[in-house]
């Protein structure tokens, strides 16, 4: 009997938040990305490095209840997959895509997992999706196109997209390259964030102990 398994897995989590995003929607601390046509954030020329990062990459510090909801959801995911470990958010920032904008291929460093929350009032079929690029693609010598079997998922080759809708919350490993294609329609707002592990991990010469960071 033929048995097929997918042993080398990357864990991506999705959730939906029921939250009043009214105040967050007023926040104008938009971070510019290289493929945007315009840049509407405040002038950062006169901010020092620390002040710049505190203002534009610590957005959730202004919304503690939302930060807690996101963190609780992420920690529920961690417990389900890894056991009694917890994470904490270290950076959080706002992206707003206008008509014709896009986010180029990139990944995040100095963190364990990354995430995105769609908090805008309206997303439609033309709103840019966030694509997660399958890291296994570069390990294969033979690439069989999707149209050979369009009704079957190929976990070693297929990329994954994250659908934007109000309240959509996603977590994915920070080492995965991702991008958003050219956006069409009304402005597309999203809040992104990175997590690190905030628990003691006793693993001999690879241990990570919170007190040792002090």
């Amino acid at each position: 009997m033929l048995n097929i398994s997918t042993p080398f897995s990357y864990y991506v989590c999705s959730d939906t938040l029921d939250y009043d995003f009214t105040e967050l929607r007023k926040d104008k601390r938009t971070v510019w990305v290289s493929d945007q046509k315009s840049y509407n954030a405040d002038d950062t020329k006169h901010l020092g490095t620390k002040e710049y990062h505190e203002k534009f990459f610590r957005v959730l510090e202004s919304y503690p209840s939302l930060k807690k909801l996101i963190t609780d959801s992420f920690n529920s995911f961690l417990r389900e997959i890894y056991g009694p470990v917890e994470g904490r958010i270290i950076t959080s920032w706002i992206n707003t895509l206008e008509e014709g904008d896009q986010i180029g291929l990139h990944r995040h460093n100095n963190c364990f997992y990354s995430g995105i929350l769609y908090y805008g009032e309206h997303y439609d079929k033309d709103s840019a999706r966030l694509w997660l690029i399958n890291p296994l693609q570069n390990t294969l010598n033979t690439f069989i196109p999707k149209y050979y079997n369009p009704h079957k998922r190929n976990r070693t080759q297929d990329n994954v997209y994250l659908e934007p809708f109000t309240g959509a919350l996603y977590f994915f490993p920070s080492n995965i390259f991702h991008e958003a294609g050219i956006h069409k329609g009304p402005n597309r707002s999203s809040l992104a964030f990175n997590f690190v592990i905030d628990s003691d991990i006793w693993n001999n010469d690879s241990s990570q102990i919170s007190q040792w960071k002090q």
Side-chain angles (χ1 to χ4, degrees), residues 99-126:
E99 179 84 27
D101 287 342
Q102 64 186 99
I103 298 176
L105 190 67
H106 70 288
R107 64 179 179 179
H108 302 156
N109 298 310
N110 302 324
C111 53
F112 176 52
Y113 257 71
S114 298
I116 189 166
L117 168 68
Y118 293 103
Y119 64 89
E121 293 185 84
H122 179 74
Y123 303 91
D124 58 28
K125 61 181 180 61
D126 293 322

Side-chain angles (χ1 to χ4, degrees), residues 80-142:
E80 180 70 23
I81 299 300
Y82 297 103
V85 294
E86 293 188 347
R88 63 180 170 90
I89 295 172
I90 54 170
T91 49
S92 51
W93 64 99
I94 293 172
N95 287 129
T96 299
L97 299 187
E98 300 175 355
E99 179 84 27
D101 287 342
Q102 64 186 99
I103 298 176
L105 190 67
H106 70 288
R107 64 179 179 179
H108 302 156
N109 298 310
N110 302 324
C111 53
F112 176 52
Y113 257 71
S114 298
I116 189 166
L117 168 68
Y118 293 103
Y119 64 89
E121 293 185 84
H122 179 74
Y123 303 91
D124 58 28
K125 61 181 180 61
D126 293 322
S127 295
R129 297 167 169 176
L130 185 67
W131 284 89
L132 305 182
I133 307 305
N134 191 332
L136 294 178
Q137 289 181 0
N138 293 329
T139 68
L140 302 174
N141 292 323
T142 300

Side-chain angles (χ1 to χ4, degrees), residues 34-52:
S34 59
D35 293 311
Q36 280 190 293
K37 297 190 301 181
S38 62
Y39 182 33
N40 295 325
D42 296 340
D43 185 5
T44 60
K45 293 179 182 178
H46 305 296
L47 291 176
T49 301
K50 183 176 185 296
E51 290 77 11
Y52 170 74

Side-chain angles (χ1 to χ4, degrees), residues 2 8 14 39 51 62-63 68 97 104 108 119 152 161 177 188 206 213:
L2 184 66
F8 307 115
S14 64
Y39 182 33
E51 290 77 11
S62 301
Y63 308 95
K68 184 178 186 307
L97 299 187
H108 302 156
Y119 64 89
K152 186 71 174 178
Y161 67 83
F177 280 96
R188 169 191 177 276
S206 298
K213 300 175 185 177

Side-chain angles (χ1 to χ4, degrees), residues 64-80:
S65 61
L66 178 58
K67 180 182 179 182
K68 184 178 186 307
L69 276 178
I70 294 171
T71 302
D72 287 348
S73 178
F74 181 68
N75 285 337
S76 294
F77 159 67
L78 286 185
R79 287 192 295 271
E80 180 70 23

